[in-house]
Amino acid sequence: DAGVTQSPTHLIKTRGQHVTLRCSPISGHKSVSWYQQVLGQGPQFIFQYYEKEERGRGNFPDRFSARQFPNYSSELNVNALLLGDSALYLCASSLSTYEQYFGPGTRLTVT
Amino acid sequence: DAKTTQPNSMESNEEEPVHLPCNHSTISGTDYIHWYRQLPSQGPEYVIHGLTSNVNNRMASLAIAEDRKSSTLILHRATLRDAAVYYCILPNTGNQFYFGTGTSLTVIP
């Protein structure tokens, strides 16, 4: 079975631009969570969506937004990019309240 | 914020057991203890979870202290493929994960 997929794998943006990252959960998984991982640190929770509704939000500015579609895929949007937004962005899907399955991530570089 | 504390790094010789500790002194009665690991250049992967009793699966064992304020992840025979950052996590009621910095495990051949 296919795991969690994320696109693109890598991208480079300039300060002030906008970026959209995409995530496809494992088939049947209705919950998607987004994390930001800065080099040398653990992943930081950004958003959680379940059945297209936001169920949780981490301590991130309003420049970060997300949504979940009827097929349970999800997008993470970041506006007005800053150099500090450079990170690995991870998506995870889950079926139950136990295991989360993580994708390989999208490496975002802001110059 | 992460509710767990772990050593920053540990070393183990290949094919020897590894005990990775985690302190979670503010754990509540309904908090599950989860362990994930992150291999280089990959997303985190599930290792094991438990509530009160010790747990075993094909990857590892989880030993939970009687007062539940600490736990230990046990890898019975470390291999080079076990070199990773290991995270101990107490998800909140919404199953939201707040990671700490984890323990970076080095396996020495």
Side-chain angles (χ1 to χ4, degrees):
Chain A
D1 288 341
V4 176
T5 59
Q6 294 186 241
S7 63
T9 304
H10 300 85
L11 80 163
I12 300 172
K13 291 285 189 177
T14 304
R15 278 177 297 177
Q17 287 187 320
H18 163 270
V19 68
T20 297
L21 310 180
R22 295 177 174 83
C23 171
S24 292
I26 292 172
S27 178
H29 287 194
K30 299 180 179 180
S31 179
V32 170
S33 298
W34 286 95
Y35 297 83
Q36 180 196 65
Q37 186 171 25
V38 175
L39 196 62
Q41 298 183 16
Q44 299 300 304
F45 171 73
I46 310 175
F47 286 110
Q48 182 191 58
Y49 277 78
Y50 179 78
E51 289 277 18
K52 296 173 287 181
E53 291 190 3
E54 182 182 303
R55 290 297 183 91
R57 172 186 287 253
N59 187 24
F60 280 80
D62 292 343
R63 299 184 296 107
F64 289 77
S65 64
R67 56 180 176 167
Q68 187 177 32
F69 299 98
N71 65 355
Y72 304 113
S73 67
S74 179
E75 283 183 354
L76 176 69
N77 296 282
V78 186
N79 292 323
L81 285 167
L82 304 174
L83 294 179
D85 295 331
S86 295
L88 180 67
Y89 288 85
L90 295 159
C91 172
S93 74
S94 63
L95 179 63
S96 69
T97 56
Y98 299 132
E99 299 177 42
Q100 289 198 13
Y101 295 83
F102 285 80
T106 294
R107 173 71 62 187
L108 172 65
T109 301
V110 182
T111 62
Chain B
D1 291 335
K3 298 180 284 186
T4 62
T5 55
Q6 301 175 251
N8 287 333
S9 62
M10 292 185 65
E11 287 186 351
S12 173
N13 292 320
E14 194 176 11
E15 297 190 4
E16 290 188 354
V18 183
H19 291 234
L20 299 167
C22 180
N23 288 319
H24 29 78
S25 59
T26 61
I27 193 170
S28 72
T30 57
D31 284 340
Y32 278 82
I33 302 159
H34 288 239
W35 284 82
Y36 280 69
R37 71 179 185 181
Q38 188 171 21
L39 280 64
S41 302
Q42 295 187 24
E45 65 174 351
Y46 170 82
V47 177
I48 200 167
H49 77 277
L51 183 61
T52 56
S53 304
N54 294 343
V55 184
N56 300 292
N57 66 19
R58 63 177 180 82
M59 290 181 68
S61 295
L62 176 60
I64 302 172
E66 194 170 338
D67 64 5
R68 300 209 327 123
K69 294 186 176 184
S70 65
S71 61
T72 302
L73 179 70
I74 302 166
L75 307 179
H76 296 285
R77 290 184 65 202
T79 69
L80 297 178
R81 293 171 54 187
D82 292 322
V85 179
Y86 287 78
Y87 296 99
C88 170
I89 304 164
L90 304 184
N92 66 8
T93 53
N95 199 38
Q96 293 146 16
F97 286 15
Y98 287 86
F99 288 75
T101 52
T103 297
S104 179
L105 175 65
T106 300
V107 180
I108 302 168

